[in-house]
Amino acid sequence: SEYSQEPPRHPSLKVNAKEPFNAEPPRSALVSSYVTPVDLFYKRNHGPIPIVDHLQSYSVTLTGLIQNPRKLFIKDIRSLPKYNVTATLQCAGNRRTAMSKVRNVRGVGWDVSAIGNAVWGGAKLADVLELVGIPKLTASTNLGARHVEFVSVDRCKEENGGPYKASITLSQATNPEADVLLAYEMNGETLNRDHGFPLRVVVPGVIGARSVKWLDSINVIAEESQGFFMQKDYKMFPPSVNWDNINWSSRRPQMDFPVQSAICSVEDVQMVKPGKVSIKGYAVSGGGRGIERVDISLDGGKNWVEASRTQEPGKQYISEHSSSDKWAWVLFEATIDVSQTTEVIAKAVDSAANVQPENVESVWNLRGVLNTSWHRVLLRLGH
Ligand code: MTE
Ligand code: MO
């Protein structure tokens, strides 16, 4: 079958769909290390994993509204300054299963682990675009360019057998501070097949759907990508919209993700012994907004205590071109005392004082994206 050449995968991944392969690690894996190991990083695909086996002949085509279209080989990309950016990648469908409990939604059922934090190594897209004559900090050009589309090597049924596609604005693409990468390394190792070998886009602070894997071409265009995943998916609709009255063109493609957190050191429901229990999890916000604080409540949200937070810059990979960690999650921890059945709630606040919504009902949408409601786990006394 077209799925007969999939790469080997870690046995502890929870497989939500086999073909295409969609899997997430156990919650506990996310709080065991600040940087998520590659084999435990969630995998989100819309088709078979393509095989790119001739690295010498592999190239990325730069085309569209540019003076001199050209092909870039891996050696050309590697000859540009290399940056290591620690960035959290999150699928817009993270925590969808909990949203579907309110009312049915369409999409792969994810628990809280369709997210991971990695050190991505590669060239900045802003430097690559300069090679074809588009200067840094360009919002539009006299050829009418305003968007940059990424087209993959893979094939998916949503595109009727065509490649996966997405786009970002030209101003984000040419802004060196946006840290958009063409990445060939993940956590200091060559990018593997599951995560986009030999080259993928990483758009920090933006839903994972825009970080196109197995890059085939970069298309400089006037309007945003007309691909399925920009126009007919990954949009946030109000709770009143259903499959009969949906009008896809009435909403913009989702880009930045909102403030998010989840408790990962315990399952829901978790049996615990009376006494001290360590509550650990992750918190992250999109758009480069850092996390201001994480609050924990044991009484349904009446009273809160602040958790402690850690953020370790990807020290072992830092080079002279390293950047800050505004794109990366914080891990939080609070020790609580449990003497009865207790619901533990986490909510995060970002640097713009955005707060996670209390209830999933208020953000429910038919595609089940962006469930960022307060995260709750139930602790029961037992052995
Ligand atoms: N790129 C291609 N070519 N094909 C895909 O199916 N899935 C996207 C994005 N890039 C996808 C893709 C989605 S929805 C997400 S969330 C991320 O890749 C997942 O990246 P990962 O598998 O490396 O975790
Ligand atoms: Mo995704």
Side-chain angles (χ1 to χ4, degrees):
S1 85
E2 50 180 345
Y3 287 96
S4 61
Q5 303 206 62
E6 297 284 288
R9 277 121 180 181
H10 197 284
S12 65
L13 289 176
K14 196 178 118 224
V15 179
N16 299 329
K18 230 175 150 192
E19 297 180 351
F21 188 76
N22 287 296
E24 66 187 306
R27 292 181 179 194
S28 59
L30 297 185
V31 287
S32 307
S33 60
Y34 180 69
V35 171
T36 311
V38 172
D39 54 355
L40 291 170
F41 204 96
Y42 81 98
K43 290 145 199 4
R44 205 297 177 232
N45 301 299
H46 292 82
I49 308 301
I51 301 176
V52 177
D53 46 6
H54 299 288
L55 202 53
Q56 303 328 312
S57 57
Y58 167 84
S59 64
V60 177
T61 306
L62 279 100
T63 183
L65 303 170
I66 48 181
Q67 296 292 2
N68 299 304
R70 62 178 283 188
K71 278 180 194 286
L72 290 179
F73 292 89
I74 279 288
K75 66 168 182 1
D76 302 322
I77 308 272
R78 282 184 176 270
S79 69
L80 292 168
K82 180 186 173 189
Y83 294 84
N84 287 300
V85 176
T86 307
T88 298
L89 197 68
Q90 177 176 215
C91 183
N94 192 27
R95 303 184 57 200
R96 177 179 284 130
T97 298
M99 185 174 280
S100 70
K101 285 180 179 146
V102 171
R103 234 194 304 160
N104 194 34
V105 299
R106 265 185 217 168
V108 177
W110 297 102
D111 186 47
V112 303
S113 304
I115 186 168
N117 193 49
V119 183
W120 307 97
K124 283 199 186 181
L125 179 59
D127 290 337
V128 171
L129 290 172
E130 234 173 23
L131 295 179
V132 290
I134 302 177
K136 302 260 162 71
L137 300 171
T138 298
S140 62
T141 70
N142 51 17
L143 293 176
R146 292 180 58 86
H147 298 265
V148 176
E149 181 180 51
F150 311 116
V151 183
S152 163
V153 174
D154 67 345
R155 300 275 173 258
C156 43
K157 66 173 189 322
E158 292 87 345
E159 292 284 6
N160 301 311
Y164 187 97
K165 293 185 268 192
S167 69
I168 61 173
T169 62
L170 187 61
S171 74
Q172 185 171 11
T174 56
N175 180 359
E177 303 220 322
D179 286 332
V180 180
L181 291 187
L182 301 191
Y184 44 81
E185 282 181 7
M186 184 177 181
N187 297 351
E189 290 164 23
T190 303
L191 196 64
N192 73 12
R193 284 182 57 209
D194 259 330
H195 296 287
F197 176 83
L199 196 66
R200 80 171 301 169
V201 184
V202 175
V203 189
V206 164
I207 62 164
R210 313 310 177 207
S211 289
V212 173
K213 303 193 273 189
W214 314 291
L215 191 60
D216 185 54
S217 58
I218 296 174
N219 205 1
V220 178
I221 53 181
E223 305 295 335
E224 70 195 10
S225 170
Q226 294 304 301
F228 178 91
F229 299 98
M230 288 291 283
Q231 300 303 333
K232 299 257 162 111
D233 201 355
Y234 296 115
K235 291 185 175 185
M236 172 71 150
F237 284 90
S240 60
V241 171
N242 59 50
W243 292 107
D244 298 321
N245 66 15
I246 189 166
N247 173 6
W248 283 103
S249 63
S250 68
R251 300 280 153 183
R252 302 193 52 71
Q254 185 70 34
M255 298 307 284
D256 290 2
F257 56 78
V259 59
Q260 173 72 293
S261 73
I263 296 165
C264 297
S265 56
V266 288
E267 298 294 321
D268 180 33
V269 178
Q270 175 89 39
M271 303 299 277
V272 296
K273 293 197 212 97
K276 300 221 178 305
V277 176
S278 163
I279 299 296
K280 292 186 198 172
Y282 63 76
V284 66
S285 192
R289 292 175 290 279
I291 290 296
E292 174 66 19
R293 55 168 222 271
V294 180
D295 297 330
I296 303 292
S297 176
L298 306 179
D299 59 3
K302 284 195 206 68
N303 294 283
W304 300 88
V305 294
E306 194 175 341
S308 65
R309 302 181 310 280
T310 53
Q311 193 184 43
E312 308 158 29
K315 283 193 199 82
Q316 60 264 57
Y317 313 109
I318 292 245
S319 72
E320 57 187 304
H321 294 296
S322 66
S323 80
S324 73
D325 265 16
K326 63 183 176 180
W327 309 116
W329 68 17
V330 303
L331 296 182
F332 67 82
E333 178 165 18
T335 304
I336 61 170
D337 222 329
V338 180
S339 58
Q340 58 187 17
T341 296
T342 304
E343 184 189 54
V344 185
I345 304 176
K347 82 164 194 298
V349 180
D350 75 13
S351 64
N354 297 307
V355 187
Q356 291 178 254
E358 177 171 351
N359 295 308
V360 61
E361 287 83 354
S362 63
V363 289
W364 184 94
N365 61 90
L366 75 177
R367 273 296 274 113
V369 294
L370 304 177
N371 179 9
T372 56
S373 57
W374 296 358
H375 190 232
R376 301 159 193 263
V377 293
L378 194 64
L379 306 184
R380 280 191 199 285
L381 292 193
H383 298 286

